[in-house]
Amino acid sequence: MRDYSVMIGGKAGEGINTAGLAIAGIFTHLGYHVYMYFDYPSLIRGGHNFAVVRAAEQKIGAHRDTDDILLALDQNCIDRHTGRIRDDTVIIHDTYRVVSAGGHPVDVNRILDEENAPAITRNSAILGAFCSAAGIGRDVLEDVFGKTVPEKYLDVNLRVAGRGGDAVDEVMRIEALNRPGLPVLTGNEVAGLGLVRGGLDTFVAYPMTPTSNLLHFLAGHADDLGVKVIHPENEIAVMLMALGLAYAGDRTAVCTSGGGFCLMTEGLSLAGMSETPVTIVLGQRPGPSTGVPTYTAQGDLHFALNAGQGEFPRFIVAPGDLEEMYAWSAGALSLSWKYQIPSIVLVDKTLAEGGYTFDIDAAGPIPQYETQLWDGTEPYRRYRDTESGISPLAFPPGSGAPVKANSYAHDEVGFTTEDAEGIAGMQEKVLRKAEGLRRDVESARAVEMAGKPDAGTAIVCWGSQKGACIEAAERFDARVVRPIILAPFPAEQWRSATAGADRVIAVENNATGQLARLLRQHGFPVDDLALKYDGRPFSVDELAGRLAEVIG
Amino acid sequence: MIHGKPAGDLISPAENTWCPGCGNFSIEHMMKSALAELSESEGIGLEKFVLVGGIGCHGKLVDYLNVNSYYAIHGRAIPLATGIAVANPDLRVICFVGDGDTYAEGLGHLIFAAKRNADITVIVHDNRVYGLTTGQYTPTSPYGFKGRSTPGGITERPINPLELMLVSGATFISRGYTKRLKPLKETFKEAILHKGFSFVEILQICATYFNRTDCYNEQVYAVADEGLGTASFDQALAKSREWDYTSKTRIPLGTFYRREMPVFGEKFQEFSRREKRREEAVRDLLEGYR
Ligand SMILES: Cc1ncc(C[n+]2csc(CCOP(=O)(O)OP(=O)(O)O)c2C)c(N)n1
Ligand code: SF4
Ligand SMILES: [Mg+2]
């Protein structure tokens, strides 16, 4: 199996992310599956940024610890990543910015001078050298640039890349796989596409890493996708606007991270009481508080499970790759409307900002659920008591009678009540919706199994750690069991997926084992924890090492 | 409970729990008449009105009228109302908010709604006290006000909401008083008909915790009596500064300022008409990534 790792690093503000995506584009062009990890501090200029692009014949979702090729735009790239460099790592570097590297220097200053090229073309020289060293034809780079570089800069970038290519000889050959390439997208982008697929009318958000790029993506494509995009004064307004939009019939989603979600919880609880649908894409990063803004964590599971005062049902899904992200962003929106509840798509920086090969046709059928609308046969009552607990929706002005939504405990029409029976009855109606939701969850593919199905050792994880776990588990002949849906918890599916496992190890990007805690709450044992809480996702190798220690 | 009936039917069966003598009754009844009259004279169907309530004595109004409503949470009626107006620009969205509710808890939303000229009407029941939580000071309580949380008297000066709204970009600004009924109703109608952000500050009598009837009766006068127009920002600013919410100076009532400006969300209206092709739109966009 062909499997390559290429790292490119340099200073913030030098387009490392774009260069990483170009490398991903090159591999895609050759027919590879790609995963790109982008590491950047929370600053705009200076600092050290790097991207690790891994390409393989099979689908992947995690990086490796060492590189086949290292593209060094500054000395930090060598000094900080000595661990990533093997004896056979091919190092290509900028002659003057990197003083001690060995490998293959490219005199970028001179190339730019002679080609009369602007500084922003620097990375093109290195990308040209990369292609040449890896035996990748110039037509491939031309094609990739042709799609990503603005027309008026295309020629100069290609000239600079050509000169970079001339500076280095072929030292290895990355073969084309002769199959059509799939596009590389980030989790944020695919969440946006999934929401649109699910019927999104309006998107409301206040910027916060790691989901700001979801806001940017939908704002940038608002016209093509036909979505209204609003950026209000804060997350409190975001949530409240979303509820107003939904009250009037707009399918609405929002995105944020932990801090912003804190501000949204009062509105979340209002959604619970007023039974107003809303979908939240919640991107986790290390906390508490501001934490580490541009790094990753899975520390907000129990916050998402419990946010908001009072008792009301909610749907929480944690996609593990882009295909699940696409299907379940749509599904979350659709379920939030069926049950008139908040839906949370719980992701993290790894998945939201990581680049992955996206195969829309592998996403499977999109989970679609019907919204129950008022049929006009009897006078409208917003909170009509029904067997399912679902009160059909109607939107003003077409409702025949007033639509009265309420944050107070209310009667069927929507008038405030403090009547004991009325309060209890309405609480029961709301909780009856949870029963239907649970049935829908159990009949969806809510738990995924990979690896050796009858293995005694079960590695359990959630969200973005899917890729690393599946690969690492192969080395131990273990099975990997992962809940895609976290609330309501698919206990029946979990029971059968873990049947016969005598050792359960939870792998999580947090410090206390939050999935493990959830499993124990549902009566499922967890024997060991393999946790990582330094802001970085597990690489396949690191995780395999940790599992070896645990398994013994 | 069906729409389109005479104004009498606009009063809902919900039990009214305001104190006797409370100014909120005036607001309720003048609003009820304003809605009925607008539906008669302007042909705006009663089903097109949506009332959004804050939390406080004021918010109960949305329970008391048989009109579409969203009884929201403390301080947050305005962004919710903005969402409703954006989703369906044919609706007439009216917020009933309190002085604690919107000048304390939700001040930022008020300023931003004015700034973006959200197409909503905001009616502030300014009784200058927290009624429902039984008598604490608010941002418009006069200097020295002794409330239950500030028994020694506040040492903060009140904010002047009209001045604040003017500089924030509100395109319709007026002040009413619950003991001046007819002007109140006329103001409601004008505010609702105004396209854009309408701000109506009402000096509302709280019979139980801060009854200012005598002072107000002595101090108020109608700006219209001076024959001034409503187009001048500077004049409106000067008028709104005439009373600082503490002194015994005259208190101008009526509409201070009015201006036509593009409303928030106008650009979205073409989207709502667009035929959406979900899956196709997604696949088209993906083509650009290959
Ligand atoms: C977030 C939040 N904080 C506090 C309260 C408690 N509370 C209810 S009404 C109110 C004050 C109401 O004062 P005002 O807005 O002036 O309304 P009034 O009762 O005077 O009409 C407060 C603090 C609440 N409901 N929500
Ligand atoms: S406390 Fe004041 S504002 Fe509240 S109902 Fe009584 S009189 Fe009205
Ligand atoms: Mg008050």
Side-chain angles (χ1 to χ4, degrees), chain B residues 55-58 97-101 124-132 136 138 140 204 206:
Chain B
I55 297 293
C57 297
H58 59 273
V97 298
D99 47 330
D101 182 80
V124 185
H125 303 219
D126 191 357
N127 53 6
R128 309 176 65 204
V129 69
Y130 284 16
L132 195 60
Q136 301 85 0
T138 75
T140 48
Q204 176 230 320
C206 170

Side-chain angles (χ1 to χ4, degrees), chain A residues 459 468-469 472-473 476 505 507 530 542-552:
Chain A
I459 293 165
C469 283
F476 304 94
I505 305 166
V507 174
E542 183 185 9
L543 179 57
R546 290 285 293 282
L547 290 174
E549 281 168 29
V550 173
I551 292 169

Side-chain angles (χ1 to χ4, degrees), chain A residues 13 51 72 79 124 130 199 212 226 235 268 285 294 298 307 332 353 420 469 482 492 500 541:
Chain A
D79 298 347
S124 296
F130 157 68
S212 303
E235 290 87 348
L268 185 83
R285 65 193 219 189
T294 60
Q298 298 182 300
E353 296 202 330
C469 283
R482 179 177 58 92
E492 283 172 37
D541 312 284

Side-chain angles (χ1 to χ4, degrees), chain B residues 139-158:
Chain B
T140 48
S141 303
Y143 183 78
F145 178 87
K146 291 188 167 79
R148 296 183 67 196
S149 60
T150 53
I154 52 169
T155 54
E156 306 170 22
R157 309 227 159 242

